[in-house]
Amino acid sequence: MITQKTQVPDPETPNATASDKDASALTRALVVQMRLPGGPDDEDLAEFRFLAESAGAEVSGIIMGRRNKPDPAFFIGKGKAEEIHQRVESDEIELVLVDHDLSPIQERNLEKAVGCRVLDRTGLILDIFALRARSHEGKLQVELAQLDRLATRLVRGWTHLERQKGGIGLRGPGETQLETDRRLMRDRIRRLNKRLEKVRNQRGLRRKNRNKIPIPTISLVGYTNAGKSTLFNRLTGASVYEADQLFATLDPTMRRLDLAGKEQVILADTVGFIRHLPHTLVEAFKSTLEEVTEASLLIHVVDSHHPESAELMSHVNEVLKEIDADEVPQIVVYNKIDLTGESPRLERDQNGAIRKVWLSARTGEGTDLLLQALSEHYRKNRHYCRLHLPPAAARLRAQLYDRVDVLAERGDGEGGFIIELTLEQRDIDWLRKQIGFEERFLEQAQDSELAPVAS
């Protein structure tokens, strides 16, 4: 829910800026958008309205205008500010939401002109992030982004302490109080950065430990509200929060997923992207987005029912490029075919690899095709191998059955085992480290060039 008043956070209270919201009270809001050359369009306006509703606002009206360039003082111009002021009074508006990024002076001037609180696009997104963050790291990241933003707008919370006019004996405590608060805020930001650095190190250690038993990671990415969390729950049986609202899931969630052939992967559900995601938020959430950059494969979930799905895909790819994840292989999933009437299907590229899958995460139709695509992706680099193990290697034989896909086996007549199996390079590397293994035990080929053994 959108907060009613910006407060300077208590420097000793963690996540004070991301306080709990009262879900029972909606804030009456007025949405404002100016059409600038190369600026927002109807789809941007619809998305911004959805953002407002996701934050808990009741959108009572929309005011639009057109300018060649932003007004330095009000962004929207003095005449438009007066029009908004009249609507605020007549409709009892509590909050004006501007679908642009405002400078501190523009935001302050607008608040004085319209007679109520004004929040720009970045401020609205931060409020939603504060509402959705659940993990310790997520709350720290939200608070840091809020404090960085609030530092430039600090004067708004202390107007009652500012001096009213100059002159000896008439200088009030405002300047001293502002300096004190700036110092407290700098201290809080410094402590938050230290905590986040510790969290990043811990995340790096966890990733390093995962790499010791190299299970590949797959990250779900896509435009917010495309159905990533629904698909995540469908594939893994998890219960990640899902809703028809923007940024329903903020914190990354990871679960193991078993594929055919005893292949195991880690599936990660990540924060959704939107148009014009503020750069400060990308910076604040880079440690979370590292799960995307470190993934071996991305599942790009697309809302196939959305009329601008191709444009939304391009926005996601722009953010992926910004976080250096544009070179990670992708499988594009066209979700919500239950709304479009399409049949589940898949599409291969010129090399025969599955690159596109049509499915419905809500009904489960087509999810088997996605699992097939994932299995094929991770089997393409497997080697067809034959192992001749002596009788003393019975323990290693049992480990192989637990770890990899055994195709066939027969005895060698002397108490030993001849085993056919498929191995990835990481499995071969693991095998070579096992006690009792000798290189002469192993024959391998890229495909089934070896003559099969009778099972």
Side-chain angles (χ1 to χ4, degrees):
M1 192 75 64
I2 296 174
T3 51
Q4 295 298 311
K5 182 180 171 80
T6 300
Q7 297 288 343
V8 177
D10 180 352
E12 299 303 326
T13 304
N15 202 35
T17 55
S19 58
D20 292 335
K21 313 290 192 299
D22 180 8
S24 63
L26 295 179
T27 303
R28 289 179 60 83
L30 182 67
V31 169
V32 179
Q33 186 193 69
M34 299 300 293
R35 296 294 173 88
L36 303 168
D41 53 20
D42 290 338
E43 283 298 323
D44 282 305
L45 180 60
E47 178 183 274
F48 189 68
R49 178 169 186 158
F50 201 7
L51 279 170
E53 292 169 349
S54 297
E58 177 189 357
V59 179
S60 301
I62 297 174
I63 288 184
M64 301 180 63
R66 191 175 298 274
R67 293 185 64 89
N68 292 326
K69 62 180 181 179
D71 178 66
F74 297 96
F75 190 92
I76 61 176
K78 191 172 182 179
K80 190 62 68 174
E82 179 59 32
E83 179 185 345
I84 294 172
H85 175 63
Q86 294 174 4
R87 285 287 296 274
V88 166
E89 290 190 335
S90 63
D91 295 352
E92 298 181 347
I93 299 297
E94 303 170 82
L95 177 67
V96 172
L97 297 172
V98 182
D99 187 17
H100 307 274
D101 285 330
L102 303 177
S103 68
I105 190 66
Q106 287 170 339
E107 188 173 311
R108 190 158 63 248
N109 289 343
L110 266 180
E111 285 193 343
K112 292 179 180 178
V114 304
C116 74
R117 188 181 171 210
V118 173
L119 198 64
D120 67 359
R121 181 183 177 86
T122 298
L124 178 60
I125 295 173
L126 276 173
D127 193 90
I128 298 174
F129 274 34
L131 182 64
R132 303 280 187 265
R134 292 292 179 266
S135 70
H136 175 64
E137 180 182 9
K139 291 178 181 179
L140 289 177
Q141 289 168 326
V142 169
E143 185 181 356
L144 181 60
Q146 286 180 315
L147 287 174
D148 283 338
R149 170 183 166 79
L150 190 58
T152 61
R153 291 163 163 78
L154 195 56
V155 67
R156 296 173 67 247
W158 295 95
T159 52
H160 64 291
L161 292 177
E162 291 178 324
R163 62 184 184 185
Q164 302 301 310
K165 56 184 177 179
I168 297 174
L170 294 177
R171 295 185 178 91
E175 291 172 312
T176 302
Q177 180 61 61
L178 283 173
E179 286 303 316
T180 300
D181 197 73
R182 287 192 183 104
R183 176 177 53 78
L184 292 174
M185 189 173 291
R186 285 194 300 268
D187 291 343
R188 179 65 180 162
I189 290 174
R190 188 160 51 248
R191 286 196 293 270
L192 282 174
N193 278 318
K194 287 182 179 179
R195 289 188 188 180
L196 277 172
E197 185 61 32
K198 184 177 180 180
V199 172
R200 292 186 189 105
N201 291 337
Q202 291 171 344
R203 184 184 291 275
L205 287 174
R206 289 196 297 269
R207 188 179 296 115
K208 186 176 180 181
N209 289 333
R210 288 203 306 267
N211 290 338
K212 290 180 180 178
I213 306 176
I215 300 178
T217 299
I218 302 173
S219 283
L220 288 167
V221 299
Y223 209 76
T224 186
N225 207 39
K228 296 186 306 303
S229 295
T230 305
L231 181 59
F232 182 84
N233 291 340
R234 172 70 62 178
L235 293 175
T236 65
S239 56
V240 172
Y241 177 67
E242 51 187 83
D244 185 21
Q245 55 186 205
L246 302 187
F247 300 119
T249 303
L250 178 60
D251 299 309
T253 307
M254 308 183 82
R255 293 289 188 275
R256 191 182 74 178
L257 179 63
D258 295 323
L259 303 176
K262 294 193 176 179
E263 182 71 52
Q264 293 182 341
V265 297
I266 299 295
L267 189 63
D269 185 20
T270 59
V271 62
F273 303 145
I274 62 169
R275 288 181 177 90
H276 318 305
L277 187 65
H279 182 71
T280 53
L281 296 185
V282 174
E283 286 296 317
F285 282 80
K286 265 194 172 175
S287 62
T288 300
L289 294 173
E290 282 175 4
E291 297 299 342
V292 177
T293 61
E294 295 291 333
S296 62
L297 177 68
L298 302 181
I299 297 178
H300 185 165
V301 184
V302 178
D303 180 357
S304 62
H305 186 250
H306 198 288
E308 302 290 337
S309 58
E311 183 182 350
L312 301 186
M313 286 178 64
S314 67
H315 285 298
V316 172
N317 287 325
E318 286 173 9
V319 178
L320 292 175
K321 186 174 183 180
E322 188 173 349
I323 63 175
D324 298 323
D326 53 321
E327 298 298 326
V328 181
Q330 284 190 23
I331 293 178
V332 180
V333 169
Y334 292 93
N335 189 25
K336 304 186 182 181
I337 61 171
D338 53 306
L339 300 178
T340 63
E342 294 185 81
S343 300
R345 68 183 192 276
L346 52 81
E347 182 179 305
R348 299 178 183 272
D349 62 16
Q350 63 272 20
N351 298 318
I354 300 175
R355 289 296 172 222
K356 298 178 181 179
V357 179
W358 281 259
L359 56 76
S360 169
R362 188 179 68 84
T363 66
E365 288 183 285
T367 51
D368 56 328
L369 298 177
L370 176 58
L371 293 173
Q372 176 188 340
L374 298 179
S375 296
E376 286 190 18
H377 177 82
Y378 287 104
R379 288 179 67 91
K380 67 183 179 182
N381 294 323
R382 288 192 170 195
H383 300 270
Y384 184 88
C385 301
R386 180 179 297 162
L387 272 175
H388 188 174
L389 297 179
R395 182 173 180 273
L396 178 57
R397 171 181 170 273
Q399 289 177 308
L400 287 170
Y401 270 91
D402 287 337
R403 180 184 176 99
V404 301
D405 189 17
V406 175
L407 304 177
E409 178 189 342
R410 67 174 172 84
D412 64 357
E414 299 177 357
F417 317 94
I418 299 176
I419 304 174
E420 284 185 0
L421 64 172
T422 57
L423 300 174
E424 293 188 36
Q425 188 58 48
R426 59 189 173 94
D427 297 318
I428 296 174
D429 295 340
W430 167 83
L431 183 61
R432 285 172 172 151
K433 296 176 183 177
Q434 303 309 302
I435 297 175
F437 174 79
E438 297 180 24
E439 196 67 36
R440 61 187 176 87
F441 296 165
L442 180 66
E443 295 178 76
Q444 60 176 303
Q446 187 62 38
D447 50 30
S448 301
E449 295 172 358
L450 300 175
V453 300
S455 56

